[in-house]
Amino acid sequence: LKRIGVLTSGGDSPGMNACIRAVVKAGIGKGINVFGIEDGYKGMIEGRIRQLTYMDVNNIIHLGGTILGTARSEAFRTLEGREQAVANLKKHEIEALILIGGDGTYAGGMALTKEFDIPIIGLPGTIDNDIHGTDFTIGYDTCLNTVVEAVDKIRDTASSHHRVFFVEVMGRASGYIALNSAIASGAESVLIPETLTEIQLLAKEIKNQNKGIRSSIIIVAEGDEEGGAKEIMEKVKPYLEGYELRYSVLGHIQRGGSPSAFDRILATRMGVKAVDLLIEGKKSLMIGQIGRDLVCRNILEGTTGNVSTDDSGIELLKSLLTKGNF
Ligand code: F6P
């Protein structure tokens, strides 16, 4: 193995740069030329591919985003687009790919393996933590910390004004960010797509909470079946006469910022492992971390994952629900 490519695709996440750095450093250290593909599959089709040196990845471990850029490509969904992409890989004699992203990224990669026999290794890069086969995705820990910091600030003003705040967080169809940021920020309630949201019950809970504390934080996962923070607030309003309600959508700040130490370490371990796997001749694998160990799975198993309904976090939060006794 002499030449490999690396790309980031889908939504960016903090730690992607640490991962690119690890791939480049480990690759060069093992005598491999590493090529960076800009803006994911879009750049592959457009031929935006360049060799990465040690200098390119110097001083990037602490940077959020991705130095390679990322995009979602419609053209890559067509065979014509993929043929163009492969022609560009061949031009640089790239033999194998490391793909940092989510299940959409892996599906694109598998098409290249099936149609053109290009080996791929997938690494889970997304804030959503919604990939089967890993306890943690690269960027999730940083995102959680960002959310908790924001909620702490909202709590200051919520408690000063005795308001009920509905805070919407990202995560697509998965409630990991919501559930665990709720635990870490001491939120009074959380609404996630994986469990039933009952508006009247929520109103009752808020009333119970407010008997004593007179302010509440309700974390709302953006994918909740009853809607986002604004919609939930509107739905609960008729049952909460006399309460001051506000909502806040945290938005894309959740995707940015310097990666946490946890994400840097995760990204580095995974990046180095990916290079080793390709050298061993492995392909079509996704790397995950289960407990403390790095594990490999068939990449097709790396599909969208949700919070299990018996997740201990759900019970934990329920056990802390204010019952109205102070
Ligand atoms: O998958 C990451 C994510 O940030 C989701 O949590 C969110 O729903 C989506 O991407 C937002 O995508 P965009 O940046 O295209 O608005």
Side-chain angles (χ1 to χ4, degrees), residues 125-137:
T126 166
I127 59 165
D128 300 334
N129 205 36
D130 62 346
I131 301 179
H132 276 304
T134 188
D135 288 346
F136 306 105
T137 56

Side-chain angles (χ1 to χ4, degrees), residues 3-5 35 37 49 88-90 92-97:
R3 292 167 169 244
I4 63 172
F35 290 79
I37 300 161
I49 300 173
N88 288 324
L89 294 180
K90 298 270 179 249
H92 295 276
E93 297 174 41
I94 292 171
E95 301 156 66
L97 294 170

Side-chain angles (χ1 to χ4, degrees), residues 217-277:
I217 302 286
I218 319 297
I219 305 284
V220 181
E222 65 177 358
D224 190 81
E225 58 186 2
E226 289 290 342
K230 183 165 189 277
E231 283 167 279
I232 301 273
M233 185 186 82
E234 298 298 349
K235 286 182 182 176
V236 94
K237 205 181 246 171
Y239 305 100
L240 290 175
E241 215 177 301
Y243 283 77
E244 267 202 65
L245 311 182
R246 292 288 187 276
Y247 77 95
S248 173
V249 179
L250 296 188
H252 287 78
I253 60 161
Q254 293 166 92
R255 286 237 296 265
S258 182
S260 65
F262 182 92
D263 276 330
R264 296 181 199 194
I265 295 167
L266 182 70
T268 303
R269 291 181 77 199
M270 287 180 165
V272 172
K273 177 81 176 170
V275 172
D276 287 343
L277 287 175

